Amino acid sequence: MCLSMTDPFVQPQEDTAASAMAALAEEFAFFDDWMDRYGMVIDWGRKLPPYPAEWQDAAHKVEGCQSQVWLASELRDGRLYLAAASDAAIVAGLVAMLLRIYSGRRPDEVLAADAARFLKELDLIGNLSANRGNGIAAMVARIRALAARAAAEAL
Amino acid sequence: MNDARILDRPAALDVAAIRAQFPILREQVRGKPLVFLDSAASAQKPRAVIEAMVHAMEHQYANIHRGLHWMSERTTEAYEAARDAAQALLGAKEREEIVFVRNTTEGINLLAHSYGRAVLKPGDAVLISAMEHHSNIVPWQMLRDSHGIELRIAPVTDAGELDMEAFATLLDDGRVKLVAITHMSNVLGTYTPVERIVALAHEAGAKVMLDGSQAVVHRKVDVQALGCDFYVFTGHKLYGPTGIGVLWGRRELLEAMPPFLGGGDMISTVSFERSEWAKVPHKFEAGTPAILEGVGLKAAIDWTVALGWDRVAAHEQALTDHALARLSEIEGVRVLGQAQDRGGVVSFTLDGVHAHDVATILDRQGIAVRAGQHCAEPLMRRFGLDSTARASFAAYTTMAEIDYLAEQLARVRAFFR
């Protein structure tokens, strides 16, 4: 009912988080050159659904040191839908990857999928526990907290 | 590896010989030679520093200031030699005026906590500037909130210089008792006009603390000629180890200050009723200090001083001029600040491209720059920016590295077009 053209929440392209990661990895492996890879990541970011300006506020802001990231969520039919944006192009691309993995999934599936490790294995982010650089670690933590809360409320 | 990138153009400083002393500069990152342009955050270490610390651990190490045995005496001598080196570096009158701290941040916190509470009275004002690092903002805010001092901010002009007219006005009512200001901005590279600052402040009855974290690396600092009352710097930006820095203060001021931390090594007598403090500087140095880091700091100071300050300054001036010229050729690059007197730190933005993206792409080419707010959020807001990229230079930086930065920035520009 609310899935209009302007829906800011990301619709899943794959059936599961695992298949989304596999699809991303396959597309990523298509390029050897890092400039090409970043070109693709940036393109993913540009294709994120428009994020509403009114949600670019303190409540939706994910604390990151170097770039700004905003995240909104909605529970629909027991699934966690996510919308997000960043003012940095590469970070926006990483955010798009996270949302392709996590958005539209059941909370237990979100909690089971380790997207941070996936991005690290692709060498797109550094050591998560220590890196306050791009806010991706904080974003993953926020998404997992949302999923944990949704899972607890469903009990 | 492209040799042209590490060979320097003719300069007074023998940069190739200097680079040969930094093992890390032979490293590759992501398959490319490391181009390290983040020395303002922390400098790399020459072999002299590395070997001094290893030598101490292998041949000459014990706790200091207390053991009546050979190893302790030798280690105490090696550690205290760092105090002599720091005294000479700053031109301090007495070695006892050198207080070892962990870093600049701790030095300023010591001052805010001790001088701030013992000498400053509620209602007194502390004057900082709009181009301070967070380490010279937050301790004074904490003092304001706990002790009732007023915190005043001297503005920065569009050119990135201290607004001296406003600075003088802020001193007018005589309530400012301490001016705490950077000697060189970590974002703009601007040197502050210290002689004028000191003259105006002293005339208004205020003491002056200089944050020398950046300046001490690039220029000969003589605290007596500058006329300031406190000077703080950290070792790790001066080619030395982390974990050690210096707070210099005039002896009479340090003597009027109570200790910051209590414990061993800072007392003369202790009973359960009361304790008496050791003399300066030891009353500020509670507990076992950073012994090995002191040894490393001494080596770092000796190494830097041996380069010759004139040659260091000339080299970094040439690097900065070259960087400003090369960056100005790239469409959309804007350099923050146009101060007359500036050192080897260049912050810039690229129109339409976030600094985070600039740094990420440069990193893939082996270039280390910093991106973000540089621990100076208020200054970023002053210039209406969320973040900048920053390239910073050291004695081992080459002209070829700056050319490489410019080439790669042009690529970044084309990439995001």
Side-chain angles (χ1 to χ4, degrees), chain B residues 13-47:
Chain B
L13 215 52
D14 186 351
V15 180
I18 288 171
R19 290 180 72 83
Q21 299 175 53
F22 286 79
I24 204 169
L25 296 179
R26 291 195 285 279
E27 289 294 311
Q28 300 228 329
V29 293
R30 306 185 186 282
K32 318 255 177 175
L34 169 65
V35 173
F36 190 76
L37 299 177
D38 196 20
S39 295
S42 199
Q44 300 299 349
K45 321 303 174 199
R47 204 172 277 291

PDB file of all heavy atoms in Angstrom, chain B residues 13-47:
ATOM      1  N   LEU B  13      68.305  20.849   2.214  1.00  0.00           N
ATOM      2  CA  LEU B  13      68.209  19.641   3.022  1.00  0.00           C
ATOM      3  C   LEU B  13      68.428  18.436   2.102  1.00  0.00           C
ATOM      4  O   LEU B  13      67.829  18.366   1.038  1.00  0.00           O
ATOM      5  CB  LEU B  13      66.804  19.593   3.624  1.00  0.00           C
ATOM      6  CG  LEU B  13      66.598  19.030   5.029  1.00  0.00           C
ATOM      7  CD1 LEU B  13      67.513  19.688   6.035  1.00  0.00           C
ATOM      8  CD2 LEU B  13      65.151  19.213   5.435  1.00  0.00           C
ATOM      9  N   ASP B  14      69.266  17.500   2.521  1.00  0.00           N
ATOM     10  CA  ASP B  14      69.504  16.313   1.699  1.00  0.00           C
ATOM     11  C   ASP B  14      68.382  15.309   1.975  1.00  0.00           C
ATOM     12  O   ASP B  14      68.495  14.430   2.829  1.00  0.00           O
ATOM     13  CB  ASP B  14      70.878  15.720   2.019  1.00  0.00           C
ATOM     14  CG  ASP B  14      71.229  14.562   1.092  1.00  0.00           C
ATOM     15  OD1 ASP B  14      70.340  14.120   0.327  1.00  0.00           O
ATOM     16  OD2 ASP B  14      72.381  14.104   1.144  1.00  0.00           O
ATOM     17  N   VAL B  15      67.297  15.475   1.260  1.00  0.00           N
ATOM     18  CA  VAL B  15      66.092  14.713   1.572  1.00  0.00           C
ATOM     19  C   VAL B  15      66.278  13.220   1.295  1.00  0.00           C
ATOM     20  O   VAL B  15      65.757  12.382   2.033  1.00  0.00           O
ATOM     21  CB  VAL B  15      64.871  15.277   0.804  1.00  0.00           C
ATOM     22  CG1 VAL B  15      63.623  14.480   1.119  1.00  0.00           C
ATOM     23  CG2 VAL B  15      64.669  16.733   1.183  1.00  0.00           C
ATOM     24  N   ALA B  16      67.037  12.887   0.251  1.00  0.00           N
ATOM     25  CA  ALA B  16      67.275  11.464  -0.032  1.00  0.00           C
ATOM     26  C   ALA B  16      68.000  10.808   1.144  1.00  0.00           C
ATOM     27  O   ALA B  16      67.662   9.690   1.555  1.00  0.00           O
ATOM     28  CB  ALA B  16      68.076  11.314  -1.315  1.00  0.00           C
ATOM     29  N   ALA B  17      68.973  11.521   1.695  1.00  0.00           N
ATOM     30  CA  ALA B  17      69.712  10.976   2.847  1.00  0.00           C
ATOM     31  C   ALA B  17      68.805  10.882   4.071  1.00  0.00           C
ATOM     32  O   ALA B  17      68.899   9.931   4.858  1.00  0.00           O
ATOM     33  CB  ALA B  17      70.930  11.846   3.145  1.00  0.00           C
ATOM     34  N   ILE B  18      67.937  11.863   4.222  1.00  0.00           N
ATOM     35  CA  ILE B  18      66.992  11.830   5.353  1.00  0.00           C
ATOM     36  C   ILE B  18      66.042  10.640   5.200  1.00  0.00           C
ATOM     37  O   ILE B  18      65.818   9.876   6.139  1.00  0.00           O
ATOM     38  CB  ILE B  18      66.196  13.153   5.421  1.00  0.00           C
ATOM     39  CG1 ILE B  18      67.121  14.272   5.914  1.00  0.00           C
ATOM     40  CG2 ILE B  18      64.981  13.012   6.333  1.00  0.00           C
ATOM     41  CD1 ILE B  18      66.504  15.648   5.826  1.00  0.00           C
ATOM     42  N   ARG B  19      65.516  10.463   4.000  1.00  0.00           N
ATOM     43  CA  ARG B  19      64.560   9.371   3.773  1.00  0.00           C
ATOM     44  C   ARG B  19      65.178   8.006   4.052  1.00  0.00           C
ATOM     45  O   ARG B  19      64.494   7.089   4.529  1.00  0.00           O
ATOM     46  CB  ARG B  19      64.021   9.418   2.340  1.00  0.00           C
ATOM     47  CG  ARG B  19      63.113  10.593   2.092  1.00  0.00           C
ATOM     48  CD  ARG B  19      62.607  10.599   0.669  1.00  0.00           C
ATOM     49  NE  ARG B  19      61.630   9.537   0.425  1.00  0.00           N
ATOM     50  CZ  ARG B  19      60.342   9.629   0.718  1.00  0.00           C
ATOM     51  NH1 ARG B  19      59.866  10.720   1.273  1.00  0.00           N
ATOM     52  NH2 ARG B  19      59.517   8.633   0.459  1.00  0.00           N
ATOM     53  N   ALA B  20      66.469   7.892   3.760  1.00  0.00           N
ATOM     54  CA  ALA B  20      67.150   6.614   3.987  1.00  0.00           C
ATOM     55  C   ALA B  20      67.158   6.246   5.469  1.00  0.00           C
ATOM     56  O   ALA B  20      67.347   5.085   5.829  1.00  0.00           O
ATOM     57  CB  ALA B  20      68.575   6.684   3.448  1.00  0.00           C
ATOM     58  N   GLN B  21      66.933   7.237   6.336  1.00  0.00           N
ATOM     59  CA  GLN B  21      66.931   6.976   7.780  1.00  0.00           C
ATOM     60  C   GLN B  21      65.560   6.579   8.309  1.00  0.00           C
ATOM     61  O   GLN B  21      65.404   6.322   9.507  1.00  0.00           O
ATOM     62  CB  GLN B  21      67.421   8.222   8.526  1.00  0.00           C
ATOM     63  CG  GLN B  21      68.839   8.620   8.163  1.00  0.00           C
ATOM     64  CD  GLN B  21      69.232   9.920   8.831  1.00  0.00           C
ATOM     65  OE1 GLN B  21      69.107  10.061  10.041  1.00  0.00           O
ATOM     66  NE2 GLN B  21      69.677  10.882   8.040  1.00  0.00           N
ATOM     67  N   PHE B  22      64.561   6.558   7.450  1.00  0.00           N
ATOM     68  CA  PHE B  22      63.202   6.199   7.879  1.00  0.00           C
ATOM     69  C   PHE B  22      62.803   4.873   7.242  1.00  0.00           C
ATOM     70  O   PHE B  22      62.344   4.846   6.092  1.00  0.00           O
ATOM     71  CB  PHE B  22      62.205   7.296   7.467  1.00  0.00           C
ATOM     72  CG  PHE B  22      62.302   8.536   8.312  1.00  0.00           C
ATOM     73  CD1 PHE B  22      63.316   9.465   8.078  1.00  0.00           C
ATOM     74  CD2 PHE B  22      61.403   8.773   9.338  1.00  0.00           C
ATOM     75  CE1 PHE B  22      63.411  10.613   8.862  1.00  0.00           C
ATOM     76  CE2 PHE B  22      61.495   9.910  10.126  1.00  0.00           C
ATOM     77  CZ  PHE B  22      62.512  10.829   9.889  1.00  0.00           C
ATOM     78  N   PRO B  23      62.988   3.774   7.976  1.00  0.00           N
ATOM     79  CA  PRO B  23      62.683   2.469   7.397  1.00  0.00           C
ATOM     80  C   PRO B  23      61.276   2.388   6.811  1.00  0.00           C
ATOM     81  O   PRO B  23      61.074   1.776   5.756  1.00  0.00           O
ATOM     82  CB  PRO B  23      62.824   1.514   8.584  1.00  0.00           C
ATOM     83  CG  PRO B  23      63.706   2.221   9.556  1.00  0.00           C
ATOM     84  CD  PRO B  23      63.453   3.686   9.362  1.00  0.00           C
ATOM     85  N   ILE B  24      60.315   3.016   7.450  1.00  0.00           N
ATOM     86  CA  ILE B  24      58.919   2.858   7.024  1.00  0.00           C
ATOM     87  C   ILE B  24      58.669   3.451   5.639  1.00  0.00           C
ATOM     88  O   ILE B  24      57.745   3.041   4.940  1.00  0.00           O
ATOM     89  CB  ILE B  24      57.955   3.476   8.070  1.00  0.00           C
ATOM     90  CG1 ILE B  24      56.577   2.820   7.963  1.00  0.00           C
ATOM     91  CG2 ILE B  24      57.860   4.975   7.898  1.00  0.00           C
ATOM     92  CD1 ILE B  24      55.639   3.154   9.098  1.00  0.00           C
ATOM     93  N   LEU B  25      59.501   4.395   5.234  1.00  0.00           N
ATOM     94  CA  LEU B  25      59.265   5.041   3.941  1.00  0.00           C
ATOM     95  C   LEU B  25      59.584   4.117   2.770  1.00  0.00           C
ATOM     96  O   LEU B  25      59.294   4.442   1.621  1.00  0.00           O
ATOM     97  CB  LEU B  25      60.075   6.343   3.838  1.00  0.00           C
ATOM     98  CG  LEU B  25      59.673   7.425   4.852  1.00  0.00           C
ATOM     99  CD1 LEU B  25      60.531   8.668   4.689  1.00  0.00           C
ATOM    100  CD2 LEU B  25      58.194   7.783   4.730  1.00  0.00           C
ATOM    101  N   ARG B  26      60.157   2.952   3.067  1.00  0.00           N
ATOM    102  CA  ARG B  26      60.378   1.967   1.996  1.00  0.00           C
ATOM    103  C   ARG B  26      59.198   1.012   1.863  1.00  0.00           C
ATOM    104  O   ARG B  26      59.191   0.136   1.006  1.00  0.00           O
ATOM    105  CB  ARG B  26      61.661   1.174   2.278  1.00  0.00           C
ATOM    106  CG  ARG B  26      62.918   2.027   2.129  1.00  0.00           C
ATOM    107  CD  ARG B  26      64.177   1.194   2.035  1.00  0.00           C
ATOM    108  NE  ARG B  26      64.590   0.623   3.310  1.00  0.00           N
ATOM    109  CZ  ARG B  26      65.267   1.288   4.240  1.00  0.00           C
ATOM    110  NH1 ARG B  26      65.609   2.555   4.035  1.00  0.00           N
ATOM    111  NH2 ARG B  26      65.612   0.721   5.372  1.00  0.00           N
ATOM    112  N   GLU B  27      58.206   1.171   2.729  1.00  0.00           N
ATOM    113  CA  GLU B  27      57.038   0.282   2.688  1.00  0.00           C
ATOM    114  C   GLU B  27      56.176   0.578   1.466  1.00  0.00           C
ATOM    115  O   GLU B  27      56.146   1.689   0.947  1.00  0.00           O
ATOM    116  CB  GLU B  27      56.180   0.481   3.942  1.00  0.00           C
ATOM    117  CG  GLU B  27      56.805  -0.061   5.211  1.00  0.00           C
ATOM    118  CD  GLU B  27      56.934  -1.572   5.207  1.00  0.00           C
ATOM    119  OE1 GLU B  27      55.940  -2.251   4.892  1.00  0.00           O
ATOM    120  OE2 GLU B  27      58.044  -2.070   5.505  1.00  0.00           O
ATOM    121  N   GLN B  28      55.466  -0.464   1.036  1.00  0.00           N
ATOM    122  CA  GLN B  28      54.450  -0.283   0.018  1.00  0.00           C
ATOM    123  C   GLN B  28      53.091  -0.436   0.696  1.00  0.00           C
ATOM    124  O   GLN B  28      52.942  -1.249   1.607  1.00  0.00           O
ATOM    125  CB  GLN B  28      54.594  -1.360  -1.055  1.00  0.00           C
ATOM    126  CG  GLN B  28      55.944  -1.337  -1.746  1.00  0.00           C
ATOM    127  CD  GLN B  28      55.845  -1.397  -3.252  1.00  0.00           C
ATOM    128  OE1 GLN B  28      54.934  -1.995  -3.786  1.00  0.00           O
ATOM    129  NE2 GLN B  28      56.759  -0.755  -3.936  1.00  0.00           N
ATOM    130  N   VAL B  29      52.138   0.345   0.246  1.00  0.00           N
ATOM    131  CA  VAL B  29      50.765   0.154   0.723  1.00  0.00           C
ATOM    132  C   VAL B  29      49.888  -0.096  -0.487  1.00  0.00           C
ATOM    133  O   VAL B  29      49.978   0.618  -1.489  1.00  0.00           O
ATOM    134  CB  VAL B  29      50.228   1.352   1.536  1.00  0.00           C
ATOM    135  CG1 VAL B  29      50.971   1.507   2.835  1.00  0.00           C
ATOM    136  CG2 VAL B  29      50.292   2.629   0.740  1.00  0.00           C
ATOM    137  N   ARG B  30      49.081  -1.133  -0.400  1.00  0.00           N
ATOM    138  CA  ARG B  30      48.181  -1.494  -1.496  1.00  0.00           C
ATOM    139  C   ARG B  30      48.949  -1.589  -2.814  1.00  0.00           C
ATOM    140  O   ARG B  30      48.480  -1.158  -3.864  1.00  0.00           O
ATOM    141  CB  ARG B  30      47.053  -0.472  -1.617  1.00  0.00           C
ATOM    142  CG  ARG B  30      46.299  -0.275  -0.306  1.00  0.00           C
ATOM    143  CD  ARG B  30      45.122   0.658  -0.516  1.00  0.00           C
ATOM    144  NE  ARG B  30      44.445   0.998   0.709  1.00  0.00           N
ATOM    145  CZ  ARG B  30      43.597   0.195   1.337  1.00  0.00           C
ATOM    146  NH1 ARG B  30      43.346  -0.988   0.884  1.00  0.00           N
ATOM    147  NH2 ARG B  30      42.999   0.611   2.445  1.00  0.00           N
ATOM    148  N   GLY B  31      50.188  -2.100  -2.729  1.00  0.00           N
ATOM    149  CA  GLY B  31      50.977  -2.309  -3.938  1.00  0.00           C
ATOM    150  C   GLY B  31      51.645  -1.061  -4.497  1.00  0.00           C
ATOM    151  O   GLY B  31      52.248  -1.107  -5.561  1.00  0.00           O
ATOM    152  N   LYS B  32      51.546   0.057  -3.771  1.00  0.00           N
ATOM    153  CA  LYS B  32      52.180   1.297  -4.249  1.00  0.00           C
ATOM    154  C   LYS B  32      53.145   1.805  -3.191  1.00  0.00           C
ATOM    155  O   LYS B  32      52.948   1.566  -1.998  1.00  0.00           O
ATOM    156  CB  LYS B  32      51.122   2.385  -4.483  1.00  0.00           C
ATOM    157  CG  LYS B  32      49.870   1.914  -5.146  1.00  0.00           C
ATOM    158  CD  LYS B  32      49.826   2.333  -6.581  1.00  0.00           C
ATOM    159  CE  LYS B  32      48.567   1.751  -7.184  1.00  0.00           C
ATOM    160  NZ  LYS B  32      48.279   2.108  -8.504  1.00  0.00           N
ATOM    161  N   PRO B  33      54.178   2.548  -3.616  1.00  0.00           N
ATOM    162  CA  PRO B  33      55.070   3.144  -2.625  1.00  0.00           C
ATOM    163  C   PRO B  33      54.283   4.080  -1.708  1.00  0.00           C
ATOM    164  O   PRO B  33      53.410   4.811  -2.173  1.00  0.00           O
ATOM    165  CB  PRO B  33      56.075   3.942  -3.466  1.00  0.00           C
ATOM    166  CG  PRO B  33      55.965   3.396  -4.838  1.00  0.00           C
ATOM    167  CD  PRO B  33      54.563   2.893  -4.990  1.00  0.00           C
ATOM    168  N   LEU B  34      54.583   4.008  -0.420  1.00  0.00           N
ATOM    169  CA  LEU B  34      53.897   4.875   0.547  1.00  0.00           C
ATOM    170  C   LEU B  34      54.267   6.336   0.297  1.00  0.00           C
ATOM    171  O   LEU B  34      55.451   6.688   0.253  1.00  0.00           O
ATOM    172  CB  LEU B  34      54.313   4.477   1.969  1.00  0.00           C
ATOM    173  CG  LEU B  34      53.897   5.431   3.094  1.00  0.00           C
ATOM    174  CD1 LEU B  34      52.371   5.481   3.231  1.00  0.00           C
ATOM    175  CD2 LEU B  34      54.519   4.994   4.426  1.00  0.00           C
ATOM    176  N   VAL B  35      53.258   7.172   0.115  1.00  0.00           N
ATOM    177  CA  VAL B  35      53.461   8.624   0.051  1.00  0.00           C
ATOM    178  C   VAL B  35      52.764   9.184   1.288  1.00  0.00           C
ATOM    179  O   VAL B  35      51.541   9.316   1.326  1.00  0.00           O
ATOM    180  CB  VAL B  35      52.882   9.208  -1.250  1.00  0.00           C
ATOM    181  CG1 VAL B  35      52.940  10.722  -1.227  1.00  0.00           C
ATOM    182  CG2 VAL B  35      53.657   8.666  -2.444  1.00  0.00           C
ATOM    183  N   PHE B  36      53.583   9.451   2.297  1.00  0.00           N
ATOM    184  CA  PHE B  36      53.004   9.769   3.604  1.00  0.00           C
ATOM    185  C   PHE B  36      52.867  11.279   3.768  1.00  0.00           C
ATOM    186  O   PHE B  36      53.842  11.977   4.041  1.00  0.00           O
ATOM    187  CB  PHE B  36      53.866   9.169   4.718  1.00  0.00           C
ATOM    188  CG  PHE B  36      53.200   9.261   6.053  1.00  0.00           C
ATOM    189  CD1 PHE B  36      52.168   8.397   6.384  1.00  0.00           C
ATOM    190  CD2 PHE B  36      53.579  10.223   6.978  1.00  0.00           C
ATOM    191  CE1 PHE B  36      51.524   8.485   7.614  1.00  0.00           C
ATOM    192  CE2 PHE B  36      52.949  10.322   8.208  1.00  0.00           C
ATOM    193  CZ  PHE B  36      51.919   9.456   8.526  1.00  0.00           C
ATOM    194  N   LEU B  37      51.655  11.764   3.619  1.00  0.00           N
ATOM    195  CA  LEU B  37      51.398  13.205   3.736  1.00  0.00           C
ATOM    196  C   LEU B  37      50.471  13.473   4.925  1.00  0.00           C
ATOM    197  O   LEU B  37      49.570  14.306   4.852  1.00  0.00           O
ATOM    198  CB  LEU B  37      50.793  13.731   2.424  1.00  0.00           C
ATOM    199  CG  LEU B  37      51.684  13.565   1.184  1.00  0.00           C
ATOM    200  CD1 LEU B  37      50.975  14.053  -0.074  1.00  0.00           C
ATOM    201  CD2 LEU B  37      53.015  14.303   1.358  1.00  0.00           C
ATOM    202  N   ASP B  38      50.708  12.746   6.010  1.00  0.00           N
ATOM    203  CA  ASP B  38      49.897  12.923   7.221  1.00  0.00           C
ATOM    204  C   ASP B  38      50.780  13.107   8.450  1.00  0.00           C
ATOM    205  O   ASP B  38      50.466  12.645   9.535  1.00  0.00           O
ATOM    206  CB  ASP B  38      48.959  11.720   7.390  1.00  0.00           C
ATOM    207  CG  ASP B  38      47.836  12.000   8.381  1.00  0.00           C
ATOM    208  OD1 ASP B  38      47.555  13.191   8.643  1.00  0.00           O
ATOM    209  OD2 ASP B  38      47.258  11.038   8.904  1.00  0.00           O
ATOM    210  N   SER B  39      51.886  13.809   8.268  1.00  0.00           N
ATOM    211  CA  SER B  39      52.837  13.974   9.371  1.00  0.00           C
ATOM    212  C   SER B  39      52.324  14.915  10.450  1.00  0.00           C
ATOM    213  O   SER B  39      52.788  14.847  11.586  1.00  0.00           O
ATOM    214  CB  SER B  39      54.182  14.479   8.833  1.00  0.00           C
ATOM    215  OG  SER B  39      54.758  13.496   7.989  1.00  0.00           O
ATOM    216  N   ALA B  40      51.380  15.785  10.112  1.00  0.00           N
ATOM    217  CA  ALA B  40      50.837  16.681  11.134  1.00  0.00           C
ATOM    218  C   ALA B  40      50.017  15.904  12.154  1.00  0.00           C
ATOM    219  O   ALA B  40      49.827  16.348  13.291  1.00  0.00           O
ATOM    220  CB  ALA B  40      49.978  17.771  10.497  1.00  0.00           C
ATOM    221  N   ALA B  41      49.530  14.728  11.770  1.00  0.00           N
ATOM    222  CA  ALA B  41      48.814  13.884  12.731  1.00  0.00           C
ATOM    223  C   ALA B  41      49.820  13.130  13.590  1.00  0.00           C
ATOM    224  O   ALA B  41      49.679  13.062  14.813  1.00  0.00           O
ATOM    225  CB  ALA B  41      47.897  12.906  12.005  1.00  0.00           C
ATOM    226  N   SER B  42      50.824  12.574  12.953  1.00  0.00           N
ATOM    227  CA  SER B  42      51.921  11.939  13.671  1.00  0.00           C
ATOM    228  C   SER B  42      53.028  11.687  12.658  1.00  0.00           C
ATOM    229  O   SER B  42      52.757  11.237  11.551  1.00  0.00           O
ATOM    230  CB  SER B  42      51.470  10.612  14.311  1.00  0.00           C
ATOM    231  OG  SER B  42      52.375  10.233  15.333  1.00  0.00           O
ATOM    232  N   ALA B  43      54.251  12.006  13.047  1.00  0.00           N
ATOM    233  CA  ALA B  43      55.371  11.860  12.111  1.00  0.00           C
ATOM    234  C   ALA B  43      55.941  10.453  12.187  1.00  0.00           C
ATOM    235  O   ALA B  43      55.804   9.759  13.193  1.00  0.00           O
ATOM    236  CB  ALA B  43      56.457  12.889  12.425  1.00  0.00           C
ATOM    237  N   GLN B  44      56.602  10.045  11.113  1.00  0.00           N
ATOM    238  CA  GLN B  44      57.321   8.765  11.118  1.00  0.00           C
ATOM    239  C   GLN B  44      58.617   8.904  11.931  1.00  0.00           C
ATOM    240  O   GLN B  44      59.010  10.010  12.272  1.00  0.00           O
ATOM    241  CB  GLN B  44      57.600   8.338   9.674  1.00  0.00           C
ATOM    242  CG  GLN B  44      56.335   8.147   8.852  1.00  0.00           C
ATOM    243  CD  GLN B  44      55.421   7.059   9.398  1.00  0.00           C
ATOM    244  OE1 GLN B  44      55.803   6.276  10.283  1.00  0.00           O
ATOM    245  NE2 GLN B  44      54.191   6.998   8.904  1.00  0.00           N
ATOM    246  N   LYS B  45      59.231   7.754  12.247  1.00  0.00           N
ATOM    247  CA  LYS B  45      60.369   7.775  13.177  1.00  0.00           C
ATOM    248  C   LYS B  45      61.673   7.405  12.466  1.00  0.00           C
ATOM    249  O   LYS B  45      61.734   6.373  11.775  1.00  0.00           O
ATOM    250  CB  LYS B  45      60.147   6.779  14.320  1.00  0.00           C
ATOM    251  CG  LYS B  45      58.711   6.698  14.852  1.00  0.00           C
ATOM    252  CD  LYS B  45      58.166   8.029  15.334  1.00  0.00           C
ATOM    253  CE  LYS B  45      56.698   7.931  15.709  1.00  0.00           C
ATOM    254  NZ  LYS B  45      56.037   9.253  15.758  1.00  0.00           N
ATOM    255  N   PRO B  46      62.721   8.192  12.666  1.00  0.00           N
ATOM    256  CA  PRO B  46      64.018   7.833  12.095  1.00  0.00           C
ATOM    257  C   PRO B  46      64.663   6.692  12.885  1.00  0.00           C
ATOM    258  O   PRO B  46      64.331   6.454  14.052  1.00  0.00           O
ATOM    259  CB  PRO B  46      64.828   9.126  12.240  1.00  0.00           C
ATOM    260  CG  PRO B  46      64.237   9.819  13.409  1.00  0.00           C
ATOM    261  CD  PRO B  46      62.766   9.454  13.416  1.00  0.00           C
ATOM    262  N   ARG B  47      65.615   6.046  12.212  1.00  0.00           N
ATOM    263  CA  ARG B  47      66.320   4.930  12.839  1.00  0.00           C
ATOM    264  C   ARG B  47      66.947   5.330  14.182  1.00  0.00           C
ATOM    265  O   ARG B  47      66.996   4.524  15.117  1.00  0.00           O
ATOM    266  CB  ARG B  47      67.403   4.437  11.880  1.00  0.00           C
ATOM    267  CG  ARG B  47      67.811   3.020  12.103  1.00  0.00           C
ATOM    268  CD  ARG B  47      68.729   2.535  11.003  1.00  0.00           C
ATOM    269  NE  ARG B  47      68.030   2.077   9.808  1.00  0.00           N
ATOM    270  CZ  ARG B  47      67.275   0.966   9.765  1.00  0.00           C
ATOM    271  NH1 ARG B  47      67.098   0.234  10.838  1.00  0.00           N
ATOM    272  NH2 ARG B  47      66.701   0.600   8.645  1.00  0.00           N
TER     273      ARG B  47
END
